[in-house]
Amino acid sequence: MYVDLGCGRHKHRQFYGIDRIQLPGVDLVCDLNHGIPLPDNSVEFVMASRSLPYLHDFVFILSEIYRICRHQAILCVLAPYAHHFRHASNPYLKQKWDEYTPRYVTPHFTQPPGSPTCPPIPGYALEQIPYDFRLLRMERFYEPPYSTEWYEQEELDVLQYVQPNVVSEIMYHFLVVKKELTSTEWLRLCKQTLMEPIWAPELRLNPAPVSEPEVMPQDFLAKPSKKTSSPPRKKNR
């Protein structure tokens, strides 16, 4: 079973759509703040595109996702990036997602090859984490004019740590681990092609922002807004 949590008006194809209000394509209407009414170990893939940060209790919803997922199910999360003024001022966002987040969702974190670095969290009590979501892949989506067309990746890595508004959104693919997992299995899964949100290809193109129809907060979708950016800086040749 493939589930799209907080699908709104844009349910992913071949997914079972769950949302708070009845919209075209929504298969089940429920408030995710109160749980996910699906059986234990029944889901192979969870798509959570611009939805989880709007829920009230981070630990509760991840515990619910962990409960309904099978061993080696995939959780894909697309979230507003924490260090952006547009998201920081959004009163409907309850959680902040960035490079540190994957450290808080597993007691056995390992850095995936080829993904941006998830910095250590000194002194964090790993044994208190009630679920095990192992990061397979993480990707940052940049605001115009920041892109690899104008900047080296090393420059972008520094910029996003020293100033806000460089990264717009961040995407994660997590592996649900409920049984013993070898490092060989984990590495193989890191390299496989995984489904992703319908927005991802366009976000990689780094397009100029456009106005879209207003989306109500109860749809669990981030409302885009216009923004102004400075001209791009060309690489030194």
Side-chain angles (χ1 to χ4, degrees), residues 110-229:
T110 305
Q111 178 66 44
S115 283
T117 299
C118 297
I121 308 169
Y124 187 66
L126 297 177
E127 67 275 5
Q128 297 179 2
I129 299 176
Y131 29 65
D132 192 353
F133 294 97
R134 309 273 181 94
L135 184 65
L136 297 176
R137 189 174 307 158
M138 182 172 69
E139 183 176 356
R140 296 183 294 237
F141 299 113
Y142 296 92
E143 288 280 15
Y146 304 104
S147 73
T148 52
E149 179 182 358
W150 301 103
Y151 291 85
E152 300 290 352
Q153 184 60 55
E154 293 79 5
E155 293 179 293
L156 290 172
D157 290 342
V158 173
L159 279 172
Q160 65 91 22
Y161 273 110
V162 300
Q163 69 182 53
N165 305 324
V166 175
V167 177
S168 175
E169 299 186 72
I170 190 165
M171 181 173 70
Y172 316 82
H173 282 90
F174 295 105
L175 181 71
V176 175
V177 178
K178 294 189 171 184
K179 302 176 184 179
E180 185 177 350
L181 181 75
T182 67
S183 58
T184 301
E185 289 178 296
W186 174 75
L187 283 170
R188 177 181 60 81
L189 293 167
C190 285
K191 296 175 183 177
Q192 72 175 351
T193 300
L194 298 168
M195 289 182 290
E196 60 186 23
I198 55 177
W199 323 102
E202 184 178 4
L203 289 170
R204 287 192 189 99
L205 295 176
N206 200 15
V210 296
S211 297
E212 294 184 6
E214 182 174 353
V215 178
M216 298 302 292
Q218 57 263 39
D219 293 345
F220 295 118
L221 294 176
K223 179 182 173 183
S225 62
K226 293 184 179 180
K227 46 192 176 291
T228 303
S229 57

